[in-house]
């Protein structure tokens, strides 16, 4: 069993739709990261959370520490949002666990 | 643009060979971590270096080793390459090694082992 589980694995949406990607984890964590990976490999850090909620533009990330669950929301989705979204958790200074990612395709 | 660069971007090796991958971190970031990402999978943590010392390691054999240098660059070395080592290798830098530090990733080095 993976320490980090994401759902859905694949997601196709029409441009403008509201999108939610979920992440559940089974270990105690120091922080949770949402990452975006475009084809070709480059990863960009979107959010780092240890509690509550963060917003950046059309992206919103929430975390519930008690339930060990986080969600990434994209409002008014756009084709340029098409990417793989990865949830990762850090536990202490030397342990990182990654989900397998959610592949998002936004159709114009 | 994360300020983290990796080289080479692509390379092909044969089984049994050795490979060195390089990463140049953001200036001032004294922590670097390395990850292996197989096709279709999420990244797997290999190890982390903080101020030139390894201070954390994932479930990888000793033939995966690393170095970190004072100029914020680092290396990942893999000896006795196996076919399953084919993957994208990512490095990420962060400030001062805090577990809550934001990660800045490079574009990765794609290794193919034949």
């Amino acid at each position: 069993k993976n320490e980090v589980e994401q759902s859905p694995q694949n997601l196709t949406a029409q441009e403008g739709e509201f999108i939610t990607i979920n992440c559940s984890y089974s270990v105690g964590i120091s922080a949770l990261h949402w990452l975006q990976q475009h084809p070709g490999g480059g990863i960009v850090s979107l959010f780092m959370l240890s509690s509550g909620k963060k917003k950046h533009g059309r992206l919103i990330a929430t975390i519930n520490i008690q339930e060990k669950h986080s969600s990434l929301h994209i409002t008014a989705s756009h084709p340029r949002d098409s990417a793989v979204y990865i949830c990762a958790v850090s536990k202490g200074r030397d342990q990182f666990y990654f989900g397998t990612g959610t592949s998002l395709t936004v159709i114009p | 643009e994360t300020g983290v660069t990796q080289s080479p971007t692509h390379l092909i090796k044969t089984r049994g060979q050795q490979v060195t991958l390089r990463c140049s971190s953001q200036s001032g970031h004294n922590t670097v971590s390395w990850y292996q990402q197989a096709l279709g999978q999420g990244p797997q943590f290999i190890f982390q270096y903080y101020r030139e010392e390894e201070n954390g390691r994932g479930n990888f054999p000793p033939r995966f080793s690393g170095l970190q240098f004072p100029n914020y660059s680092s290396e990942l070395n893999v000896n006795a390459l196996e076919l399953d080592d084919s993957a994208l290798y990512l490095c990420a830098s962060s400030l001062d090694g805090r577990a809550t530090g934001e990660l800045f990733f490079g574009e990765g080095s794609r290794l193919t082992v034949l």
Side-chain angles (χ1 to χ4, degrees), chain A residues 30-31 33 35 37 40-46 48 50 86 90-101, chain B residues 2 33 35 37 40-43 45 48 50 55-57 88 90 96-97 99-103 105-107 110:
Chain A
S30 306
H33 304 255
L35 311 169
Q37 186 171 30
I43 293 181
V44 174
S45 176
L46 298 174
M48 185 183 63
S50 53
I86 301 172
S90 54
K91 178 181 177 180
R93 178 176 286 184
D94 58 351
Q95 296 179 57
F96 292 94
Y97 304 97
F98 291 78
T100 55
Chain B
T2 64
S33 48
Y35 306 86
Q37 186 177 24
Q41 302 294 316
F45 173 65
Q48 175 173 283
Y50 173 66
N55 77 337
R57 190 175 185 92
L88 179 70
L90 296 155
D96 75 26
T100 53
E102 184 178 1
L103 299 173
F105 285 85
E107 295 285 319
R110 188 166 295 282

